[in-house]
Amino acid sequence: MQEKLQLLEQLKATNFDGLDCRLWVVKKNSRDGQNTYRTLYAAIDGLDVDLKNTLKYFFCGNERSIEPINVLSEYQALTADVDEDRALVDGRGDTDFSTIIEKIEEGADNDPIEDIRQFNNAWALVFEFSGANNKFYAFSKVKGGWNLKSTRTVKNWVFNEGQFKKVEAENIFSFRNAIDFVAYGDDVFIRDKANYELGLNIREGLEAKRDVLADAFAQHGIVACVDELKVAIGTNKTLLRRLVAIEETRYFEDQEFIEDMKSAIGEHAFDLPENENGQFIIDENNVDLFLKLVNDKRFISLIKKQMVDADVVEVVE
């Protein structure tokens, strides 16, 4: 992580005013669980300064409302929500963002936007910043999908000199003055974890890891039936996160840990039965408990002596 922090300081020192900026509109199509993307180039006039400042604020903060990034943490399935001065770091190739950037890099092969109706059902905006051997791709999720029809019900008034005045405005497109995450090189810096996961097909990646880790449990003789484990987890995002978090610790590979886990189950009479071979019998009723225990996420509180579950913990030094 030290290398990432050094990179962060380099990025903060970027001459943002010297960057060139391009705007891309991303449209998404999902079929049979697979996503495909179109990227359309939109010319911008007079937006450069605002967009460059938004990128600068992403890294460096501003005096009014945004803290600079001072702390970085590796993105994980059960990472805690992002603090005001903390960002998460992930690999660009771990999500669909890599595919979107590849489409953007086709350049002139992408269609330009020439009619505002082409913004209909826009899924996300990507701001491409380049200059002095630097290239940033900044992602901003379009909330709810933008549609021209919805703008026709909105009237624009300004209050000036003690009275309201109607403003005649056509072809207005409103978007959030915020960046959710930025790709630079092979890294993605994340300040909005929810939009990062919402936008980039995280569930599909979790499902792929589900099958790999479930098979690993079977290879270590921990579960009675790997197919029943996969079915019990299914596509439930919370369970998928808990399973993938196990990949980080891999406690299940330690036989002594498994024996201690079985002792705790017996001591507290948890409903997690074993077969004659000492393998856990998993179903939809106990899979959540199994995933918590096998990743050591159930505790007795120090003060109240209550049993609690905690997906995200920090070790006290």
Side-chain angles (χ1 to χ4, degrees), residues 300-317:
I300 303 295
S301 67
L302 190 62
I303 308 301
K304 298 286 288 184
K305 308 302 180 185
Q306 294 176 326
M307 187 171 293
V308 296
D309 295 325
D311 284 323
V312 180
V313 298
E314 292 185 9
V315 176
V316 179
E317 300 293 344

Side-chain angles (χ1 to χ4, degrees), residues 10 15 67 88 106 113 132 148 179 197 206 224 226 240 242 264-265 294:
Q10 294 174 16
N15 177 16
E67 293 287 335
L88 305 175
E106 293 177 3
I113 287 185
L148 180 62
I179 291 173
E197 295 179 333
L206 293 176
V226 66
L240 287 169
R242 290 195 173 126
I265 291 170
V294 80

Side-chain angles (χ1 to χ4, degrees), residues 14-212:
T14 299
N15 177 16
F16 294 98
D17 292 337
L19 298 175
D20 295 323
C21 179
R22 303 181 78 184
L23 171 62
W24 297 89
V25 176
V26 181
K27 295 194 174 186
K28 174 182 174 181
N29 181 54
S30 298
R31 179 175 296 179
D32 299 328
Q34 298 296 316
N35 297 329
T36 56
Y37 300 92
R38 288 182 63 210
T39 53
L40 297 90
Y41 166 68
I44 55 177
D45 181 14
L47 295 176
D48 298 59
V49 173
D50 287 344
L51 295 176
K52 291 173 189 178
N53 283 336
T54 302
L55 179 66
K56 181 179 180 179
Y57 297 156
F58 178 91
F59 288 105
C60 305
N62 62 21
E63 296 179 355
R64 296 187 300 277
S65 58
I66 303 174
E67 293 287 335
I69 300 174
N70 296 317
V71 182
L72 293 177
S73 299
E74 181 182 359
Y75 171 83
Q76 298 176 2
L78 288 173
T79 307
D81 290 337
V82 178
D83 298 326
E84 290 184 353
D85 68 339
R86 182 169 69 98
L88 305 175
V89 182
D90 200 7
R92 189 176 103 176
D94 292 340
T95 69
D96 283 5
F97 200 23
S98 181
T99 302
I100 293 171
I101 291 175
E102 288 177 3
K103 295 290 293 182
I104 289 174
E105 290 177 341
E106 293 177 3
D109 290 339
N110 292 287
D111 293 329
I113 287 185
E114 298 174 335
D115 187 313
I116 194 170
R117 286 174 294 185
Q118 291 176 272
F119 275 101
N120 277 356
N121 303 313
W123 179 73
L125 302 178
V126 174
F127 309 112
E128 178 188 4
F129 301 91
S130 58
N133 298 320
N134 290 326
K135 181 157 284 192
F136 302 85
Y137 294 95
F139 183 104
S140 182
K141 183 73 176 68
V142 176
K143 295 288 188 178
W146 187 83
N147 194 298
L148 180 62
K149 292 180 180 178
S150 63
T151 67
R152 294 173 180 166
T153 63
V154 178
K155 300 301 181 184
N156 297 282
W157 292 6
V158 296
F159 188 77
N160 189 30
E161 297 179 351
Q163 61 181 324
F164 282 107
K165 295 181 180 180
K166 183 178 178 181
V167 177
E168 297 293 344
E170 296 181 355
N171 296 345
I172 293 177
F173 179 67
S174 299
F175 59 87
R176 298 179 305 126
N177 185 28
I179 291 173
D180 301 320
F181 52 92
V182 173
Y184 181 88
D186 294 328
D187 298 308
V188 180
F189 295 86
I190 306 159
R191 297 207 73 164
D192 190 314
K193 178 172 177 275
N195 278 345
Y196 178 68
E197 295 179 333
L198 180 66
L200 296 178
N201 208 20
I202 296 297
R203 187 188 298 272
E204 184 176 309
L206 293 176
E207 291 177 7
K209 290 186 177 182
R210 172 199 61 198
D211 296 341
V212 172

Side-chain angles (χ1 to χ4, degrees), residues 77-78 197 202-211 228-245 283-289 291-292 311:
L78 288 173
E197 295 179 333
I202 296 297
R203 187 188 298 272
E204 184 176 309
L206 293 176
E207 291 177 7
K209 290 186 177 182
R210 172 199 61 198
D211 296 341
E228 290 180 0
L229 173 62
K230 292 177 182 179
V231 169
I233 294 172
T235 59
N236 183 294
K237 200 167 185 179
T238 299
L239 297 179
L240 287 169
R241 288 179 183 277
R242 290 195 173 126
L243 177 64
V244 173
D283 59 29
E284 65 275 10
N285 297 314
N286 63 21
V287 63
D288 187 47
L289 173 63
L291 294 175
K292 290 174 181 175
D311 284 323

